[in-house]
């Protein structure tokens, strides 16, 4: 199986989920009221888990979800898994961000479940957000493939086959870092680190930008954008201020796997 769960997940109805979430949230507020808001995440997770357990809920901490495809493997760890059904992510941040929400949603999609909770214990009052999805594993694996100015060379054909195979196996809609790392590892045999690529103004280096490379002069960009033209414009602006030959751009919103090659047009950078 491409996605392996350390614990089988039971999919709950919304009402069943809210019963478990209410118990968890009550304990989160009690911990916050008793200890304040200045401890680290590990402390709050431990206290909430302990109190949920004493309430009769089954609690697993750092529940493992492993994504495996060919030689590639990546592990994710859910903060709290309650009653083998409810994903809970606990944070200590000034505010809940879209990145926190996206991380929780990623866990729901990997687990094949519909509902989860995001709690933040750093503010004066405990923040809670419900995270849900109706996107099924089957829907995530349905997509069309389109190509635009995609080269016919062996390297690009291999990358295309790798990306299509991985997405057919794992599905779309997940954390973009997963796809970047998987495509790179399957292409070169290992997960490539980001490379600091010089950014030029004329002939002067003014900055270094981290990019993933598939060859010495070709960068890899993996996005999940609906606004293709706008994204293309900004990728070109980045590319034209480097000395890279081009960007192999893979865009993978749910429902489409799109390959496009952008070639540097500004020879002077």
């Amino acid at each position: 199986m491409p996605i392996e769960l350390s614990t089988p997940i039971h999919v709950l109805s919304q009402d069943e989920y809210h019963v478990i979430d209410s118990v968890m949230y009550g304990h989160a507020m009690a911990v916050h009221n008793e200890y304040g808001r200045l401890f680290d995440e590990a402390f709050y997770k431990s206290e909430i888990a302990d109190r949920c357990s004493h309430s009769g809920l089954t609690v697993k901490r750092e529940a493992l979800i492993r994504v495996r495809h060919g030689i590639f493997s990546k592990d994710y760890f859910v903060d709290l898994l309650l009653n083998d059904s409810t994903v809970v992510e606990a944070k200590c941040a000034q505010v809940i961000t879209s990145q926190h929400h996206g991380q929780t949603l990623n866990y729901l999609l990997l687990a094949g479940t519909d509902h989860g909770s995001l709690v933040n214990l750093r503010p004066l009052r405990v923040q809670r957000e419900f995270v849900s999805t109706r996107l099924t594993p089957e829907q995530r694996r349905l997509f069309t493939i389109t190509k635009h100015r995609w080269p016919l060379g062996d390297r690009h054909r291999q990358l295309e086959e790798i990306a299509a195979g991985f997405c057919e196996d794992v599905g779309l809609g997940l954390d973009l870092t997963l796809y970047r790392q998987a495509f790179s590892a399957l292409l070169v045999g290992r997960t490539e680190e980001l490379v600091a690529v010089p950014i030029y103004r004329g002939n002067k280096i003014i900055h270094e930008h981290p990019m993933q490379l598939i060859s010495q002069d070709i960068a890899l960009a993996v996005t999940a954008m609906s606004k293709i033209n706008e994204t293309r414009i900004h990728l070109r602006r980045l590319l034209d201020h480097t000395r890279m030959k081009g960007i192999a751009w893979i865009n993978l919103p749910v429902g489409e796997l799109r390959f496009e090659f952008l070639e540097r047009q500004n020879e002077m950078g």
Side-chain angles (χ1 to χ4, degrees):
M1 293 293 290
I3 300 175
E4 304 169 3
L5 308 174
S6 60
T7 299
I9 303 294
H10 306 302
V11 180
L12 301 182
S13 68
Q14 191 168 17
D15 289 342
E16 292 170 324
Y17 153 74
H18 279 301
V19 170
I20 296 173
D21 171 80
S22 295
V23 174
M24 178 281 300
Y25 184 51
H27 290 313
M29 289 192 296
V31 170
H32 192 270
N33 289 337
E34 182 173 351
Y35 292 100
R37 63 190 185 100
L38 299 181
F39 287 86
D40 60 19
E41 284 184 13
F43 172 80
Y44 293 115
K45 291 173 188 176
S46 178
E47 281 295 306
I48 294 170
D50 187 58
R51 296 184 187 210
C52 285
S53 180
H54 279 88
S55 295
L57 298 179
T58 301
V59 181
K60 291 184 174 66
R61 296 189 59 192
E62 301 298 319
L64 171 66
I65 302 177
R66 175 168 292 153
V67 179
R68 191 195 301 273
H69 179 90
I71 64 168
F72 175 76
S73 179
K74 184 177 178 65
D75 291 346
Y76 293 94
F77 298 91
V78 177
D79 284 346
L80 300 174
L81 182 63
L82 306 180
N83 277 17
D84 295 337
S85 62
T86 302
V87 169
V88 177
E89 282 295 296
K91 302 297 178 186
C92 288
Q94 293 302 315
V95 293
I96 291 175
T97 67
S98 59
Q99 184 176 2
H100 298 144
H101 188 278
Q103 179 188 19
T104 308
L105 179 60
N106 186 59
Y107 291 160
L108 295 184
L109 294 173
L110 286 168
T113 191
D114 299 337
H115 308 291
S117 303
L118 180 57
V119 292
N120 184 19
L121 294 113
R122 182 66 75 223
L124 290 174
R125 295 183 178 179
V126 177
Q127 286 182 295
R128 173 183 56 171
E129 285 191 7
F130 303 123
V131 182
S132 62
T133 179
R134 297 188 178 211
L135 195 59
T136 67
E138 293 74 24
Q139 290 171 329
R140 293 197 300 102
R141 290 177 172 86
L142 291 176
F143 55 85
T144 59
I145 295 178
T146 57
K147 291 183 280 187
H148 301 264
R149 295 180 291 277
W150 190 250
L152 299 176
D154 291 343
R155 192 71 164 175
H156 289 84
R157 187 180 299 111
Q158 185 183 8
L159 177 58
E160 178 187 338
E161 292 173 354
I162 284 169
F166 184 80
C167 293
E168 287 170 358
D169 202 17
V170 174
L172 300 178
L174 301 174
D175 173 31
L176 287 177
T177 301
L178 170 67
Y179 299 102
R180 294 187 189 108
Q181 292 178 348
F183 298 166
S184 174
L186 294 165
L187 185 66
V188 302
R190 64 187 183 281
T191 301
E192 292 285 273
E193 298 294 331
L194 295 177
V195 175
V197 173
I199 302 298
Y200 290 82
R201 182 192 298 129
N203 291 316
K204 181 181 179 182
I205 297 175
I206 60 172
H207 185 61
E208 289 186 336
H209 183 74
M211 302 181 76
Q212 195 150 20
L213 306 185
I214 61 172
S215 69
Q216 201 168 32
D217 56 1
I218 302 293
L220 172 66
V222 180
T223 62
M225 305 298 291
S226 58
K227 297 181 178 179
I228 295 297
N229 291 334
E230 180 180 312
T231 305
R232 183 188 297 112
I233 288 171
H234 288 280
L235 285 174
R236 283 199 178 282
R237 287 175 180 171
L238 169 60
L239 175 61
D240 285 345
H241 285 85
T242 72
R243 294 292 190 263
M244 304 297 294
K245 180 180 178 182
I247 293 178
W249 175 25
I250 302 176
N251 192 55
L252 35 71
V254 173
E256 182 186 23
L257 182 57
R258 188 178 189 277
F259 299 90
E260 182 170 343
F261 186 75
L262 303 176
E263 190 170 4
R264 181 163 60 88
Q265 299 173 338
N266 183 353
E267 293 299 326
M268 294 303 294

